[in-house]
Structure formats: C-alpha cells, structure tokens
Amino acid sequence: MKGSRGVLVALAFIAAFAIPLGADDIDDWVKAQMNERRIPAVSIAVIKGGVLVKAEGYGIANLEHNIPATPGTVYKIGSVSKQFIAAGVMLLVQDGKVVLDQPLSRYVAGTPDAWQPITIRHLLTHTSGLVREAPGFDPYKIQPDIDVIKTAFSLPLNSKPGDKYAYSNLGYYTLAEVIRSVSGKPWADFLNERVFAPLAMTSTRPTSVAAIILNRAGGYAWNKDRFENMENWTTVRPSGAFVSTVLDMAKWEAALQSDRILSASTKKDMWTPVRLNDGREYPYGFGWEVDHFPNGVGPTDVPMIRHEGSIPGFRAVYWRLPKQDITVIVLSNLEGAGLDNLTAGIAVRYVPELMAAYRKRWPGN
C-alpha cells in the first residue's frame, strides 16, 4: 500500500484511539461466545480501513487474582509466532543474505545427507518432508535449538521435499537456526532489533517462566465442571515462541499495511500458496495460511490470510481479509478455545456482506 496509508495507520496507533463504527453488539457477541465456550478471557483488536476501530478485553485474565482482561493483557500466541520467524528469514532474504531456493545446508552446517534437497522455501511452506516434532523436544528441558534439531537427523524424511504439505514445528525450529547462523545473533534478538523494537511492540517477547512479564494472563483448561491451571512450559519453541497483546499485534498489522518492515514483493511471496512438485497448490505461504473466509468450508469469494495458534492454556487467531480491508485478532487464555465463530462473527458485524460466506459454516446463526 502507499506510504501515506502507512503513516495514517501509524498515527492511529500512536493516538491509541479506537474509532467506533456502530457495531454496537460486538461486546454482547463476544461475551455470549465466551460464556458458551467457557473462555476465561478474550482480548480483541479490529483494524478496518487501516485504522484500529476496536480494542477491548473481556473476562478474567488471571482467575486466581481476579484480574480483568484488557487490550494490554499479555497472552501466549502459539503458532501465530510462525509469521515472525518467517518474517525474520525474509528480512535476511531482503538483505541478500539468504536465498529461498538454496539448500538449507548452505546456512546450517552438519545437516544429514537426507536433508540435502531441503531448501529454505520448503521449510517456510511445510513441504520439507520433516517430521512434525523433533524426538528430542522436551517442554521442560532448556537446550539449544540446534541440539533439538539434531535429534531428528537420523530420521528418514516423510516425503520428498516439495511433494506434499505436512505441518512441521521442526521446520520452524530449523528456520530459527538459519536466522541465528546467518545473522550471528540469537533469533529472538534479531527479531526484536528488526521488528518489535522499531514498531514499539513493547509487550512482544519470547515466552519465559522466570521473567517478570507485566499484565501476563494465566493459561487454563476447563475440566468437567471447573477451570484448572494448564502446564507452563519452561522451553522457548521457535515454532510457537512469543507472548503478545492485541495492541502489539495491531501495530504489526499496521506494518503489514505499509512497506516499513517487509517490502511489497516480500509480502506477496509470503501470501502466495505453495506450488507442489506436481503443480498443485496448497493454501499455505510463508508462515501464513492463504485460503478463504470462513476457514473450513472450502473456496468462497472472500480471500483470507490467516494463522491460528495453540499452546497449553492459550489459543490465538489472526485473520486478514484484504478484499474487505479488515483484520480481526483474538487472543484467549483457554486450552483449545473455539474462536472461529467468535472471530468470524466480529468480522461480519463490521462487514455485513460477509454474512453469505459466514452462513456456509454456521447456517443457524
């Protein structure tokens, strides 16, 4: 988009002001969905026409201390983090230090013979043939990423690179190692320097049990008739690394609507479905799913760029509808929270013409 549009968006966030659009029943809708799904807390951000039009928190972020959720509540975002790892790799592509179709072995030393056909593009698009999880991953053992990656070196590939899509957290571990190897600094530091700090995303950082993180939400599960605390992993997984707020994620959305961090050609690459070896497309780009609104019903006339994230105690949704120029971001603190209908219902209330597509999945609503 044009630079002036990016300035307009940035000013909207600096002012920290949400402009009402008359979608008066959104609060009631969100609360009803939370009650139906027993979700302790939800925070939402809606960006329409390049402007933050809604930022709100609902429910209780910390049940033990009875702390209300706000737009500044910090949640784990799970695999929504993958878009940041992908962005880090693409910044190195923009810098001329990484080439998408070069083999991984050019950037990470010691990879096994079976991995030699794997390229950076394969890793970004989950078409590398790598297993979903490295066998050495332990959520309670802090160890270098490369040590986790090496535990998969002896495993055969599940498919020839480029033949099929198969979601791989190991692949994003490996991309994080590419960032570290090429940039010469920890991937978290690289992303903070190149993305989070420039955008004043001050609440976005790697998950940490030990660190004091202001406004951190607790993570919960619903067990039969009550809430329980979910396990709190001590490791930081590059595939689901970060905590954030909807306000920070809205700043990221502002950057995506300009060329401040990523160039237009980079974003086009990231938001293009992968083409497999046999010529078929699969609806995944680089750290983003590329399909249609609402997800789960097949093609509609509403393109959507999205990603969801799950990690113990938390669920996150980030949906971009470029044709309608609206983005809805929802963060929650319930294990496996069902957020699709909640998120889609918010979008419909700002863009009523989405109702026909919406009712393909939820005909009774």
Side-chain angles (χ1 to χ4, degrees):
M1 294 187 178
K2 294 181 179 179
S4 59
R5 172 70 170 276
V7 172
L8 175 63
V9 173
L11 289 174
F13 292 120
I14 291 170
F17 179 70
I19 301 173
L21 285 185
D24 297 329
D25 66 336
I26 285 180
D27 293 346
D28 291 340
W29 168 255
V30 172
K31 291 173 184 177
Q33 288 286 305
M34 291 173 65
N35 183 63
E36 180 178 335
R37 289 162 173 75
R38 298 188 177 92
I39 304 173
V42 161
S43 296
I44 71 169
V46 182
I47 299 90
K48 182 75 174 74
V51 178
L52 180 63
V53 297
K54 180 81 170 178
E56 190 58 80
Y58 308 86
I60 305 299
N62 187 293
L63 294 174
E64 291 177 313
H65 298 285
N66 197 34
I67 298 172
T70 72
T73 296
V74 176
Y75 301 83
K76 295 180 183 179
I77 64 172
S79 286
V80 173
S81 302
K82 286 184 170 67
Q83 63 194 260
F84 294 118
I85 297 296
V89 172
M90 295 307 291
L91 284 168
L92 293 171
V93 172
Q94 289 181 179
D95 293 345
K97 296 179 179 179
V98 168
V99 178
L100 287 172
D101 294 310
Q102 287 290 331
L104 166 65
S105 58
R106 177 173 175 175
Y107 307 104
V108 177
T111 52
D113 289 345
W115 290 28
Q116 297 310 301
I118 297 174
T119 67
I120 301 301
R121 187 185 300 273
H122 290 141
L123 294 169
L124 286 165
T125 56
H126 298 288
T127 59
S128 65
L130 293 176
V131 296
R132 184 181 179 101
E133 306 288 352
F137 168 69
D138 182 338
Y140 297 104
K141 181 180 179 181
I142 298 174
Q143 54 187 320
D145 295 330
I146 190 60
D147 289 355
V148 178
I149 295 166
K150 285 179 178 178
T151 66
F153 278 3
S154 62
L155 300 179
L157 298 183
N158 286 335
S159 60
K160 178 183 175 182
D163 270 4
K164 62 184 293 187
Y165 169 93
Y167 197 81
S168 175
N169 287 319
L170 170 60
Y172 272 72
Y173 261 89
T174 308
L175 289 168
E177 182 62 16
V178 170
I179 295 173
R180 186 208 62 77
S181 176
V182 174
S183 71
K185 58 189 66 176
W187 53 265
D189 291 351
F190 179 82
L191 284 167
N192 186 61
E193 291 176 12
R194 296 290 296 272
V195 178
F196 304 144
L199 297 179
M201 295 173 65
T202 55
S203 295
T204 305
R205 54 177 295 168
T207 301
S208 171
V209 173
I212 303 299
I213 300 178
L214 297 179
N215 304 313
R216 189 203 304 243
Y220 305 102
W222 178 260
N223 187 3
K224 296 182 181 178
D225 60 353
R226 63 184 181 274
F227 290 110
E228 294 182 348
N229 288 309
M230 276 301 295
E231 58 183 322
N232 197 2
W233 291 351
T234 55
T235 60
V236 177
R237 307 173 71 210
S239 56
F242 297 108
V243 297
S244 191
T245 67
V246 293
L247 293 177
D248 269 13
M249 297 301 281
K251 293 174 183 177
W252 171 238
E253 175 62 24
L256 292 175
Q257 295 192 23
S258 73
D259 297 335
R260 181 176 178 187
I261 303 295
L262 301 173
S263 69
S265 61
T266 291
K267 288 178 288 186
K268 182 179 178 180
D269 286 342
M270 294 182 75
W271 297 335
T272 298
V274 61
R275 188 168 295 278
L276 303 176
N277 289 338
D278 63 4
R280 292 180 297 121
E281 285 188 346
Y282 191 89
Y284 199 95
F286 301 167
W288 291 92
E289 299 184 64
V290 188
D291 53 16
H292 298 85
F293 172 92
N295 63 322
V297 298
T300 66
D301 62 351
V302 185
M304 180 163 65
I305 302 163
R306 66 180 176 92
H307 216 292
E308 290 77 42
S310 293
I311 202 164
F314 297 87
R315 177 75 174 162
V317 170
Y318 193 138
W319 285 7
R320 309 183 75 248
L321 281 64
K323 186 176 176 181
Q324 286 72 30
D325 203 3
I326 187 170
T327 294
V328 182
I329 301 161
V330 179
L331 306 180
S332 73
N333 63 344
L334 181 70
E335 172 80 5
L339 299 178
D340 285 1
N341 194 5
L342 186 157
T343 306
I346 293 172
V348 166
R349 282 160 172 78
Y350 282 97
V351 187
E353 58 264 35
L354 292 172
M355 184 60 74
Y358 173 88
R359 283 184 171 154
K360 287 187 176 181
R361 182 166 179 186
W362 296 284
N365 286 10

